[in-house]
Amino acid sequence: MQLYNTLSAKEREELIEQANQERLTISFYKYAHIGNPQIFRNHLFIHWNELDVLGRIYVAHEGINAQLSVPAPNFEAFKKHLDSISFLENVRLNIAIEQDNKSFLKLKVKVRKKIVADGLNDRSFDVTNKGVHVNAEEFNRLIDDPDTILVDMRNHYESEIGHFQNAITPDVDTFRDSLDIIEKDLAAHKEDKKLVMYCTGGIRCEKASAYYKHKGFKQVYQLEGGIIEYARQVQQLKLENKFKGKNFVFDHRRSERISEDVISHCHQCGEPCDTHVNCANEACHLLFIQCESCAEKMDQCCSDNCKEINALPYEEQKKLRKGKEASNKIFKKGRSEVLKFKR
Ligand SMILES: [Zn+2]
Ligand SMILES: [Zn+2]
């Protein structure tokens, strides 16, 4: 029985092209008690592999967090399978508004300690005592209220290319850091202000809202389904869109455009730009914002040094990397001294 991905990204890409089928990029999560994550993981892999599902799925005792793509003709079968799992029946699926058949090229279902690396000790507070979930329309009304403080629960490189008007966007590398910074900054308003939060797809707010209630915030709200679902509701219900720019996502697309505004700048020349790339030097792989003309000038590298290395024959590059940590496996989060125009 096949329990793991066997095709390379390249082979998969060719198959997707040959199939010439539309694929849907979908994400969902659910906190639920899973007794044996390994057995559950195998069950998912077997069924989803049959349906040609691709993606990155985390399973833990605390639940499931899934980002994936499904061939459109298999969507009904996929949905039926989800509904056959008691705690996933009618789970809200966040469907991407910008589709890309190659958003994922492998099916990876992994067992983890947690479904989000949140750095929290869940036993120190009641994770089920969450904030009030609001939809796009309620959210728009709430953030117009002068008694509201709106906070972005994502990291700096995410909010940099897009965020809600008037949101506090902490300059942080991790979720854990933002929790403390926000609590400290808003300590005087635990009673009198409405704390309204959002993230990409809603999962980070599930924990954050419970954490802030535990810390004494009296009125805590969270955007249901995050920016992905907000954008869908705005489009479908013709609501006012209060999100500016792009929504950073964690697949090959890297982002979805939500409004035409370009709110960030190329990290190399400072021109308006909101396209994230990874440095072409495999040993670097730094995530940063690069405009087309800088990409051409720099051969898609972050620095002259990386450009030089990237120009070497592949075997030479491999020799240089020998003995060093495989840094292309590390997700470098858009910070480097070589980026002159990083805010
Ligand atoms: Zn540039
Ligand atoms: Zn580089």
Side-chain angles (χ1 to χ4, degrees), residues 68-69 82 141 172 186 199 206 210 239 279 288 336:
L68 45 84
S69 88
L82 278 185
R141 213 177 307 131
V172 293
L186 304 181
C199 62
E206 295 285 330
L239 306 174
C279 176
F288 69 108
S336 166

Side-chain angles (χ1 to χ4, degrees), residues 265-273 289-295 297 341:
H265 301 271
C266 171
H267 287 161
Q268 290 176 322
C269 72
E271 285 296 305
C273 175
I289 298 175
Q290 187 178 48
C291 73
E292 276 178 34
S293 85
C294 287
K297 203 161 61 199
F341 288 88

Side-chain angles (χ1 to χ4, degrees), residues 279 284 302 306:
C279 176
C284 172
C302 75
C306 282

